[in-house]
Amino acid sequence: MTQEPIGSPEIYRLQVNGESHDVQDAWLGESLLYVLRERLGLPGSKGACEQGECGSCTVLLDGAAVCACLVMAASATDADIVTVEGLAPDAALTDVQAAFLDEGAVQCGFCTPGLIVAVHHLLEHNPEPSALETREALSGNICRCTGYGRIFAAVDAVVASRADQAAR
Amino acid sequence: MSVLTPSTIDEVLAHLAERPEALLLSGGTDVMVEINMAHRKAPAEVVALRRVEQLRLWRHNPSSEGTGGTVTIGSGLPYAEMEHGPLAELFPALAEAARTVGSPQIRAAGTLGGNLGTCSPAGDGLPVLFALDAIVHLRSIGGQRDVPVADFMVGVKQNVLEPGELVTGVTMPIRHGWQGYSKVGVRNAMVIATASACLAMDRDRGAVTLALGAVGTTIIRCRDAEGWLAGELDLSAEPLDISDAVAQEFGRRAAADARPIDDHRSTAAYRGHAVGVLSSRLLRRAAA
Amino acid sequence: MTEASAPAATATATETVTALRPGVLGTNAARPDGVPKVQGRFAFANDLWAENMLWGATLRSPHPYARIRSVDVTGAWKIAGVEAIVTAEDVPGQPTYGLIRQDQHVFASAYVRYRGEPVAAVAADHPETCRRALEAIVVDYEVLTPLTDPEEAIAGTRDRIHPDGNLIRHQRILCGDPEATGPIVVEGNYEMGMQDQAFLGPEAALAVPDDDGAGLELYIATQWLHEDRKQVAACLGLPEERVRLVLGGVGGAFGAREDISLQVHCSLLALRTGRPIKMQYGREESFYGHVHRHPAKIWMRHHASADGVIVKIEARMVFDGGAYTSTSPAVLINGVTHAQGPYRCPNAIVDGYATRTNNPPCGAMRGFGVVQACFAHEGQMDKLAAAAGLSPVEVRLRNAMRTGDPLITGQPVDSVAPVERCIRETDALPMPPDLPADADVLALPGGSGRTADRGHVVRGVGYGVAIKNLMYSEGFDDYSTARCQLNDGVATLKFAAAEVGQGFVMLAQQIARSILGVDEVMLDTIDTQIGSSGSTSASRQTWISGGAVDAACRKVRELLLEAVAERHGMPALQLAIEGTDVVDTIGSLRIPVADASAGLRLDETVEYRHRATEDLDENGQGNCHVAFAFVAHRAVVDVDPELGLVKVVQIATAQDVGRALNPLSVAGQIEGGIAQGLGLAVMEEIIVTDGMVRNASFTDYLLPTTLDAPTVVFSLIEEPDPQAPLGAKGVGEPPCISVTPAIAAAIRDATGRDIGRVPVRPQDICLS
């Protein structure tokens, strides 16, 4: 049996952060995480386990927070994909990103992009989560450095400041 | 290698007829792990089900007698959709089981179709399907067959799916009575069941069903415990009066049906003990 | 609405924070790498990429012990896209490496001694090509029976599995009167499973060869650039100047990056192909690719007076070091010298063994041998309390060490030793509210698995107290180098101290701001273009590298003040830096530092060393440690005793930090360390059977999630240590040490079971 070449001549198209990307010469078994990082120049999403057990690769796929390592990239051709790089234009920081910095929620930072995406997703669907709701919503994102305390503080800070702004 | 993204069931079946060995990709939460870890050779053809909207629906089938009917759940409905809303109200045990699947990210992608395709005895949704006597719908280009879930799963990661067949959904009866689910794991999220159980009361028939997960080569229906309890009590009565002795005996009989093993996650002794405790506690909750 | 997890900082710290200039020592200064990290733009080693690069991958032994008969790579060469294949015979320099003894092979040649030992490596155009190439390499193994029982290694009943023998080290400590006894005698056996550091950023490196093929640049996520360089250069047969290491962004370390993993492999492939090589491990390979925490079995016996005062301790400790030496000799010393815990102890007999087996190699992990000793001595203290009719708090207060008291090695603990304060302040922190009758299912043991109802849950409380040495020991000449430049009001720092997430890059800036009165502090690349900063481990960087940065900044400040003094014709001694100004302390001159340093090019490089330490003699006597820190923990747990499931509700802690240089950062270390100690207590274990790892994945190696994290309340004890250059003690390790025995004690309290092992498994609680 002849060895199949790695790269496939087929081209497929992905919609990422509002832009269209053609993926060519790829091995069709590549995960979305691999394609984002190695082919589309978007290394913000991280791979810590490639099994969906850590959440470091969390991206939004048609508005749902999923693990990019578990999405076969070639099957996501019609999906609206948002990565951490797409949350704010250029050098701007979202309020969630700023809160992570202010509250000391960033140490090594490997889990941070996935968490930022997950927190954005949480607050979009539940603007004033209880402590347990926050914990459950983020239970798919592992952090090994912080023990989560400062991360919860960051979420609380965003909730408070958004509620404050809404009140005005 | 080719990845196909059909948008209707008929397109899927046509592809499968041409390429019966093609890998069916649902949420990817089992299959992509195997490909990423290179435990599974990357398949030559993949049929991705993401765009098949028909598989992501569920519907209530009212019965002509007006006694509840059944619900058919598409094999592509993500677990996240089962946790809340009308479907969760119809099947509280399914909602409870769905909530324990992996993580929020996994629940957004994982499906019953995937759980059935993989057929792990630790699959979180499976004890619910067994306890509710689910019928699994299989379709191929040649036709359709409906298989009781107990006949569908035949061993560890073994089912009766034939090449060219697609699981399109499951149908379960709406029962009157309490139903609930429990799962033992050492961690409070993202954990493979060490032991799990689903109990469902059926007041109309004066029956109880109990299914155990992670303690056998398939999900186990505890027919001995079920039959014994129906003999001991009038299960159509409301409220149910469950004494400590009855709950304990129920749990003991359930555990006796379990065939747990030792592995790196737990011991046979613990698993057997745990399903007994879960069964007793579920029964007490049913009566509370 | 948040839970009560705010730090209960001391009043002093709060006042200080509000009065200080932003960004100086004592404030919650911002991380310089924070913005890129939250945006996903921070370049971890895993993110590095180079034009024309190839991917590298490693072939690992499937057997824990086997003789290699042959390695046949011909099949791999037939695969299109493969550019290099290397094995043991291709290693140009020293074939072995190691932090203490160079007994570990770059590639196995005659024997493989652990499951996962590297046998070959390939370079190819795609990770998938690499995978296929590795699959095509045929290794003929003669499988041998692995040595897996440390006791057999000690007894010498098995042939040596390595030329250096099966006993890595033995150390005895004899102190005082070995015949001393007391009316109260309590003993116990304590076992600790193998924990993994499980940093999130898997091993990664990018090696870029020089054009002449006789040198390279290696971008690497590591803990100690210079030690890596030394080993890589030796194995490549190159002079160290031709091997330049640059720190790639590090996704956590916790000890696992102290030993080299892919450094030599990656470099060798780069030199062979003449092209950049990117290597990174997946999670499974990561578990095989780095050392773990030593599993240990410890027996202890405490003799005490009738009122619970320790008279003598006896201990036998066995640390299984696995196949290669790594840092086992040092881990063992930490274990035995901390056997008494933070308590006065006049007499002791301790025997410690570090064994070599065909189990996975073990080495540095946060806590470094003291975690194991602490689990044992804290279990003993509770037994002592029960026998003496004292509470767990009382027995510890009664025996608490004070500044100046000796260890069982004879070394006086001249670090500030506020053990009593640690215990009292921990105990004074508020208890969590009782579990309500209508508790949310997520608040119960078992969580969303709905295994328990409220009536199935019992609460327990337990305590743990620890002493932990800071920095390296046994005469090691540890030092750090730092360079400070001040040009036109901008300070630039250069150091090789590895930033692994702990925040040294932030601290260094704080130091410079405080000493030089500048706000903007640039950080030069962290690489080997400057002298060593030593390892990011042993809670040493704040003290030693902080001390080096401090010293370099002070020298620059001295030069600056001299220059200003000369310019204005006054003695330099009169001048000082106040805020961002140079001021005449007895006159009216006030010049902004930016102006004062205009036109000056001040540049100082300093090496900082701590005081010398000694070896231990054959009775384990000697001043082998530099300094010590102390901590106490209280754990509140809810247990479902029938199912053996545990929920850790709250951890309270008071930690001896000397001085909180960045209170928010200290909070992060405390909470993060507690999570790791919690993991060790109830869920984390590398399961090894006959030398085979059973759970090399995050599916079955369980790390605490947000739903497992307890509420943490803490108090910082700030009694500045006069030895420490900034008054601050290292804070990284203490948080993960006594929290584990505190949780075990709380489980014992809730269930009445004699828990002698961590991690505690459900069956340990509910089955006999």
Side-chain angles (χ1 to χ4, degrees):
Chain A
M1 193 174 80
T2 57
Q3 183 79 46
E4 191 186 293
I6 304 277
S8 159
E10 293 181 36
I11 300 177
Y12 63 89
R13 184 166 288 177
L14 294 176
Q15 311 295 330
V16 185
N17 298 333
E19 278 178 27
S20 208
H21 295 265
D22 282 343
V23 181
Q24 185 167 25
D25 224 25
W27 179 53
L28 292 176
E30 289 168 4
S31 67
L32 178 61
L33 178 65
Y34 183 91
V35 171
L36 289 170
R37 289 176 54 77
E38 305 297 339
R39 298 191 182 281
L40 302 189
L42 294 168
S45 310
K46 306 301 175 194
C49 79
E50 291 175 271
Q51 278 190 305
E53 296 277 354
C54 74
S56 303
C57 63
T58 304
V59 299
L60 300 179
L61 192 88
D62 291 332
V66 298
C67 289
C69 70
L70 298 183
V71 177
M72 187 178 280
S75 78
T77 49
D78 59 338
D80 174 32
I81 299 166
V82 180
T83 70
V84 64
E85 293 100 332
L87 293 176
D90 301 315
L93 292 180
T94 69
D95 55 353
V96 174
Q97 288 167 322
F100 265 60
L101 294 175
D102 293 339
E103 298 296 328
V106 180
Q107 288 188 36
C108 87
F110 208 83
C111 72
T112 302
L115 259 165
I116 300 281
V117 172
V119 171
H120 270 283
H121 183 261
L122 161 66
L123 297 181
E124 212 173 280
H125 291 82
N126 188 352
E128 296 198 26
S130 69
L132 286 177
E133 284 171 340
T134 297
R135 284 167 177 260
E136 190 171 19
L138 301 181
S139 62
N141 290 77
I142 300 279
C143 174
R144 190 49 163 167
C145 296
T146 69
Y148 307 106
R150 302 301 96 212
I151 293 170
F152 297 146
V155 174
D156 289 340
V158 175
V159 170
S161 107
R162 286 187 185 183
D164 200 44
Q165 282 178 7
R168 298 219 207 98
Chain B
M1 183 186 172
S2 62
V3 178
L4 302 162
T5 55
S7 33
T8 67
I9 293 179
D10 286 335
E11 282 175 36
V12 174
L13 299 181
H15 287 318
L16 289 181
E18 270 180 64
R19 310 164 170 84
E21 301 306 321
L23 175 69
L24 286 166
L25 179 67
S26 188
T29 57
D30 283 331
V31 166
M32 282 307 291
V33 173
E34 297 189 358
I35 292 179
N36 288 342
M37 308 293 276
H39 290 161
R40 176 199 285 257
K41 287 257 190 283
E45 279 95 28
V46 172
V47 177
L49 301 173
R50 244 180 49 82
R51 297 166 71 186
V52 185
E53 277 306 310
Q54 295 164 293
L55 295 176
R56 299 169 73 95
L57 304 173
W58 67 273
R59 67 171 189 277
H60 177 207
N61 312 306
S63 92
S64 45
E65 294 114 46
T67 52
T70 65
V71 170
T72 301
I73 302 176
S75 60
L77 188 70
Y79 276 111
E81 305 288 321
M82 299 175 208
E83 290 184 70
H84 307 287
L87 186 55
E89 283 169 30
L90 288 169
F91 295 112
L94 184 62
E96 288 174 359
R99 190 184 187 182
T100 70
V101 173
S103 66
Q105 289 91 329
I106 299 286
R107 297 196 275 281
T111 63
L112 271 175
N115 245 188
L116 285 165
T118 298
C119 251
S120 160
D124 297 312
L126 298 181
V128 180
L129 300 185
F130 273 70
L132 295 180
D133 293 305
I135 304 289
V136 182
H137 304 295
L138 308 174
R139 280 188 62 184
S140 69
I141 204 149
Q144 170 163 335
R145 55 184 184 126
D146 299 323
V147 181
V149 70
D151 296 331
F152 177 83
M153 180 178 190
V154 296
V156 177
K157 303 206 167 172
Q158 290 169 35
N159 58 37
V160 300
L161 203 62
E162 295 287 343
E165 278 190 316
L166 169 72
V167 175
T168 55
V170 299
T171 295
M172 300 188 292
I174 296 171
R175 293 204 180 130
H176 292 117
W178 187 92
Q179 57 176 242
Y181 175 88
S182 288
K183 167 182 168 180
V184 173
V186 172
R187 181 169 69 172
N188 287 309
M190 290 200 287
V191 70
I192 306 270
T194 305
S196 59
C198 179
L199 182 148
M201 304 300 303
D202 185 347
R203 294 260 190 255
D204 298 337
R205 284 188 207 88
V208 65
T209 57
L210 176 69
L212 306 178
V215 287
T217 54
T218 68
I219 303 300
I220 293 177
R221 272 287 295 273
C222 300
R223 305 212 183 257
D224 173 58
E226 294 171 1
W228 174 82
L229 192 68
E232 280 288 305
L233 302 172
D234 175 8
L235 294 176
S236 59
E238 196 138 11
L240 265 184
D241 183 23
I242 305 280
S243 70
D244 282 355
V246 166
Q248 278 216 24
E249 177 63 13
F250 183 73
R252 193 198 65 75
R253 284 174 182 258
D257 278 343
R259 297 285 174 268
I261 58 168
D262 289 328
D263 66 13
H264 55 283
R265 288 185 191 124
S266 187
T267 64
Y270 177 75
R271 287 177 157 128
H273 166 80
V275 287
V277 174
L278 293 184
S279 303
S280 298
R281 290 184 179 181
L282 284 168
L283 184 61
R284 272 183 240 248
R285 270 184 220 153
Chain C
M1 193 54 226
T2 77
E3 305 152 355
S5 63
T10 61
T12 316
T14 319
E15 285 164 21
T16 317
V17 166
T18 52
L20 295 171
R21 197 172 103 238
V24 298
L25 289 171
T27 64
N28 297 335
R31 298 187 65 105
D33 54 5
V35 170
K37 282 180 176 177
V38 296
Q39 293 181 321
R41 292 190 298 106
F42 179 80
F44 291 95
N46 314 67
D47 302 319
L48 297 177
W49 180 90
E51 198 68 53
N52 198 32
M53 81 181 196
L54 294 167
W55 292 83
T58 320
L59 181 67
R60 294 179 178 273
S61 164
H63 307 293
Y65 191 32
R67 196 171 66 78
I68 296 177
R69 289 197 192 102
S70 64
V71 180
D72 181 2
V73 303
T74 49
W77 276 118
K78 292 188 183 139
I79 294 172
V82 173
E83 299 290 337
I85 304 176
V86 290
T87 63
E89 61 196 26
D90 300 307
V91 178
Q94 194 175 297
T96 57
Y97 65 87
L99 285 170
I100 296 179
R101 295 176 206 159
Q102 286 73 56
D103 66 343
Q104 191 158 0
H105 296 267
V106 175
F107 294 113
S109 54
Y111 289 91
V112 288
R113 295 184 176 87
Y114 69 96
R115 162 69 174 99
E117 180 161 8
V119 178
V122 303
D125 58 0
H126 189 288
E128 175 63 15
T129 314
C130 285
R131 196 195 62 75
R132 296 180 190 181
L134 293 180
E135 219 173 52
I137 297 176
V138 180
V139 183
D140 184 12
Y141 292 106
E142 179 194 340
V143 178
L144 304 170
T145 308
L147 166 60
T148 60
D149 183 353
E151 292 299 335
E152 286 187 13
I154 295 171
T157 48
R158 283 285 307 263
D159 287 345
R160 34 188 71 199
I161 61 173
H162 187 284
D164 294 353
N166 298 339
L167 183 65
I168 294 175
R169 187 172 186 179
H170 165 245
Q171 180 67 50
R172 155 164 287 212
I173 299 183
L174 269 179
C175 163
D177 175 11
E179 308 294 315
T181 58
I184 292 181
V185 182
V186 293
E187 71 179 273
N189 285 297
Y190 303 92
E191 185 183 339
M192 180 167 288
M194 184 187 291
Q195 188 179 22
D196 192 87
Q197 301 84 345
F199 48 73
L200 281 202
E203 289 82 344
L206 177 71
V208 183
D210 292 341
D211 289 334
D212 67 0
L216 70 140
E217 198 147 76
L218 179 66
Y219 297 83
I220 175 70
T222 186
Q223 290 175 231
W224 190 352
L225 287 168
H226 289 71
E227 180 58 39
D228 281 11
R229 178 177 75 167
K230 185 170 109 189
Q231 295 177 74
V232 170
C235 294
L236 295 178
L238 293 175
E240 284 188 26
E241 317 80 75
R242 290 305 306 270
V243 180
R244 302 177 307 283
L245 268 60
V246 182
L247 190 70
V250 186
F254 316 114
R257 301 193 208 254
E258 259 180 63
D259 293 85
I260 64 175
S261 55
L262 39 58
Q263 286 86 329
V264 179
H265 302 155
C266 195
S267 303
L268 186 55
L269 289 172
L271 292 178
R272 289 291 282 228
T273 58
R275 291 170 65 171
I277 303 287
K278 172 78 174 286
M279 278 189 85
Q280 68 180 15
Y281 293 170
R283 180 56 49 184
E284 184 179 20
E285 183 167 23
S286 180
F287 277 112
Y288 289 113
H290 60 251
V291 298
H292 318 279
R293 189 191 293 289
H294 289 72
K297 289 196 176 158
I298 298 176
W299 167 85
M300 275 196 179
R301 183 159 61 199
H302 279 51
H303 299 250
S305 66
D307 50 2
V309 175
I310 296 171
V311 171
K312 180 175 82 175
I313 67 162
E314 297 167 276
R316 182 177 184 275
M317 303 182 161
V318 179
F319 288 74
D320 185 5
Y324 293 103
T325 299
S326 176
T327 49
S328 291
V331 171
L332 177 69
I333 290 313
N334 264 19
V336 295
T337 58
H338 287 69
Q340 75 197 80
Y343 308 111
R344 287 189 298 280
C345 178
N347 308 292
I349 311 170
V350 177
D351 274 293
Y353 301 86
T355 58
R356 186 193 306 268
T357 64
N358 294 114
N359 290 323
C362 290
M365 182 172 175
R366 193 177 189 174
F368 206 79
V370 180
V371 172
Q372 294 89 331
C374 187
F375 176 58
H377 66 63
E378 289 308 281
Q380 286 294 96
M381 293 309 282
D382 285 338
K383 289 192 156 106
L384 179 54
L390 298 171
S391 77
V393 171
E394 282 165 5
V395 75
R396 288 169 169 87
L397 287 173
R398 201 164 281 202
N399 287 281
M401 198 179 255
R402 294 187 198 109
T403 307
D405 282 334
L407 288 186
I408 55 177
T409 56
Q411 174 166 13
V413 174
D414 57 7
S415 300
V416 172
V419 180
E420 249 184 78
R421 265 193 77 182
C422 287
I423 299 170
R424 289 192 195 284
E425 291 195 21
T426 298
D427 199 35
L429 288 165
M431 288 283 281
D434 282 332
L435 200 58
D438 61 348
D440 190 296
V441 69
L442 293 181
L444 298 173
S448 63
R450 288 182 184 270
T451 47
D453 299 309
R454 175 65 184 87
H456 299 126
V457 179
V458 179
R459 180 162 287 191
V461 183
Y463 296 82
V465 190
I467 174 176
K468 171 69 178 67
N469 70 310
L470 305 173
M471 298 168 280
Y472 280 29
S473 311
E474 291 191 278
F476 190 87
D477 178 31
D478 200 12
Y479 67 92
S480 182
T481 318
R483 178 183 184 192
C484 174
Q485 294 173 278
L486 183 61
N487 303 323
D488 294 322
V490 177
T492 303
L493 298 175
K494 187 166 182 78
F495 46 80
E499 170 63 44
V500 304
Q502 85 284 23
F504 183 76
V505 287
M506 176 171 60
L507 177 67
Q509 291 180 319
Q510 290 178 259
I511 295 170
R513 289 192 196 102
S514 294
I515 303 223
L516 296 174
V518 297
D519 288 322
E520 198 183 341
V521 182
M522 313 289 291
L523 296 177
D524 204 333
T525 310
I526 300 175
D527 60 24
T528 49
Q529 301 301 317
I530 185 175
S532 171
S533 283
S535 173
T536 294
S537 62
S539 306
R540 67 180 279 295
Q541 289 291 28
T542 294
W543 188 303
I544 302 197
S545 294
V549 170
D550 176 76
C553 290
R554 281 174 193 276
K555 273 205 160 175
V556 166
R557 178 172 71 182
E558 207 179 293
L559 293 174
L560 173 67
L561 297 182
E562 276 169 16
V564 173
E566 200 182 304
R567 219 182 279 151
H568 295 270
M570 61 176 61
L573 283 173
Q574 246 169 267
L575 295 171
I577 294 194
E578 204 178 86
T580 52
D581 296 324
V582 176
V583 300
D584 178 355
T585 54
I586 59 174
S588 61
L589 183 71
R590 178 177 285 270
I591 311 172
V593 169
D595 296 340
S597 61
L600 295 176
R601 306 197 80 75
L602 305 171
D603 187 349
E604 289 293 319
T605 300
V606 168
E607 261 182 27
Y608 174 89
R609 280 178 162 71
H610 58 66
R611 68 173 178 191
T613 58
E614 301 170 342
D615 284 329
L616 295 176
D617 66 20
E618 71 273 10
N619 288 325
Q621 301 299 298
N623 295 344
C624 72
H625 295 304
V626 182
F628 304 89
F630 301 85
V631 67
H633 288 92
R634 180 190 69 204
V636 176
V637 305
D638 283 335
V639 184
D640 173 357
E642 214 183 343
L643 280 176
L645 298 181
V646 176
K647 180 144 189 65
V648 182
V649 177
Q650 185 211 61
I651 301 291
T653 180
Q655 184 168 337
D656 158 41
V657 303
R659 185 177 158 207
L661 301 175
N662 185 317
L664 200 53
S665 181
V666 175
Q669 289 301 306
I670 288 176
E671 290 166 343
I674 282 173
Q676 291 188 351
L678 183 155
L680 176 58
V682 293
M683 64 179 71
E684 289 185 44
E685 182 172 5
I686 298 278
I687 306 214
V688 183
T689 313
D690 299 326
M692 299 294 286
V693 175
R694 311 280 301 283
N695 60 335
S697 81
F698 279 173
T699 305
D700 288 317
Y701 184 86
L702 302 179
L703 298 176
T705 69
T706 50
L707 286 172
D708 303 291
T711 305
V712 174
V713 291
F714 67 86
S715 171
L716 301 183
I717 295 172
E718 295 187 77
E719 293 184 21
D721 194 296
Q723 256 204 97
L726 304 170
K729 298 188 178 183
V731 300
E733 290 174 294
C736 75
I737 297 181
S738 41
V739 62
T740 303
I743 292 171
I747 295 172
R748 291 184 198 112
D749 183 50
T751 62
R753 299 290 296 241
D754 185 14
I755 304 292
R757 164 192 217 279
V758 285
V760 183
R761 299 154 306 188
Q763 54 267 31
D764 299 330
I765 294 174
C766 66
L767 299 180
S768 39

